């Protein structure tokens, strides 16, 4: 089982760390510099000790693009321009603006987060990334692979639902669904804080989910051990 966390408002980050440490679970964190409840961004100085501590515990790290930049569409190459992409960051100085990036520009967005993670953790992040919202195109994925980054999504049952409205999707319902549906080898997705969810997903779901999966015989590993990414990681140190 491969549990992954994307950044968010970081309000539950200390709690998540406590649960992971208590149950000796190693995960992969995908990080963008998103707005936070405390400090100025999830990759800002306020959170530097938190990231260093996670590295010391043996977790893995990868890019979520620096400004949490959503892919919005492809712009095909023509006589005047190479392949380009419509991008809309949801964080940073360009938040909410529609931008146009070529492959090099998008790679720079991925790389900026990876380099910041290296500075914060003292270790090399994985040559992987997760596009915000999982939104991609074949051309975008090809551009990222061309600069050394493979994309990581999640299993259908691995969507743990912490982004969903709690009025319609209770924590108990999300827990029951995950325990029922996840399968060996699944990549699971959660966040370190979602602004819109009124009834926080953690701690209500995280700890009983880990305990329940461990009782079923599951163990947890970082994406460094994932069979679909091991070879890529070894070729892109």
């Amino acid at each position: 089982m491969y549990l992954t966390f994307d950044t968010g408002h970081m309000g539950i980050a200390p709690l998540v760390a406590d649960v992971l440490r208590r149950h000796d679970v190693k995960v992969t964190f995908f990080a963008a510099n998103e707005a936070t409840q405390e400090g100025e961004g999830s990759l800002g100085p306020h959170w530097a000790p938190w990231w260093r501590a996670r590295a010391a515990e043996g977790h893995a790290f990868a890019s979520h693009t620096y400004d949490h930049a959503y892919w919005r569409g492809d712009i095909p190459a023509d006589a005047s321009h190479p392949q380009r992409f419509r991008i809309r960051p949801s964080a940073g100085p360009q938040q909410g603006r529609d931008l146009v990036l070529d492959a090099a520009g998008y790679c720079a967005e991925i790389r900026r987060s990876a380099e910041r993670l290296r500075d914060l953790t003292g270790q090399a992040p994985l040559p992987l990334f997760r596009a915000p919202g999982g939104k991609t195109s074949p051309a975008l994925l090809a551009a990222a692979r061309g600069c050394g980054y493979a994309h990581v999504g999640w299993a259908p049952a691995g969507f743990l639902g912490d982004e969903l409205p709690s009025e319609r999707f209770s924590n108990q319902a999300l827990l029951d669904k995950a325990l029922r549906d996840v399968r060996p080898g699944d990549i699971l997705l959660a966040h370190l804080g979602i602004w819109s969810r009124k009834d926080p997903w953690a701690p209500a779901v995280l700890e009983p989910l880990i305990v329940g999966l461990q009782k079923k015989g599951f163990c947890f590993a970082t994406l460094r051990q994932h069979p679909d990414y091991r070879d890529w990681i070894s070729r892109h140190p």
Side-chain angles (χ1 to χ4, degrees), residues 14 18 20 25 42 45 55 64 86 91 113 124 126 142 148 155 196 232:
D18 288 345
L20 298 179
V25 168
S42 47
H64 195 33
R86 291 193 298 273
S113 175
L126 301 178
S196 60
W232 177 269

Side-chain angles (χ1 to χ4, degrees), residues 61-196:
F61 309 91
S63 176
H64 195 33
T65 73
Y66 192 81
D67 285 333
H68 204 249
Y70 282 90
W71 171 84
R72 303 279 290 175
D74 294 340
I75 303 174
D78 57 30
S80 303
H81 299 95
Q83 170 79 61
R84 293 173 296 161
F85 309 100
R86 291 193 298 273
I87 302 295
R88 182 181 294 173
S90 67
Q94 307 276 12
Q95 178 181 354
R97 296 182 59 187
D98 288 327
L99 310 177
V100 174
L101 299 180
D102 60 13
Y106 189 74
C107 285
E109 177 70 17
I110 298 173
R111 192 176 295 115
R112 188 180 176 196
S113 175
E115 290 173 352
R116 179 59 177 160
L117 282 166
R118 184 191 299 268
D119 292 343
L120 290 171
T121 66
Q123 72 178 50
L126 301 178
L128 308 174
F129 85 107
R130 174 172 287 152
K135 298 180 183 300
T136 65
S137 70
L140 188 81
L141 297 181
R145 291 179 74 88
C147 60
Y149 294 94
H151 186 258
V152 178
W154 53 87
F159 175 70
L160 297 176
D162 61 341
E163 296 174 274
L164 300 173
S166 52
E167 307 92 280
R168 294 171 50 209
F169 301 90
S170 70
N171 283 328
Q172 188 62 51
L174 294 177
L175 174 61
D176 292 344
K177 183 179 185 300
L179 289 173
R180 181 183 69 242
D181 294 345
V182 296
R183 296 292 181 266
D186 277 356
I187 296 174
L188 312 183
L189 164 68
H191 299 77
L192 295 174
I194 294 294
W195 293 97
S196 60

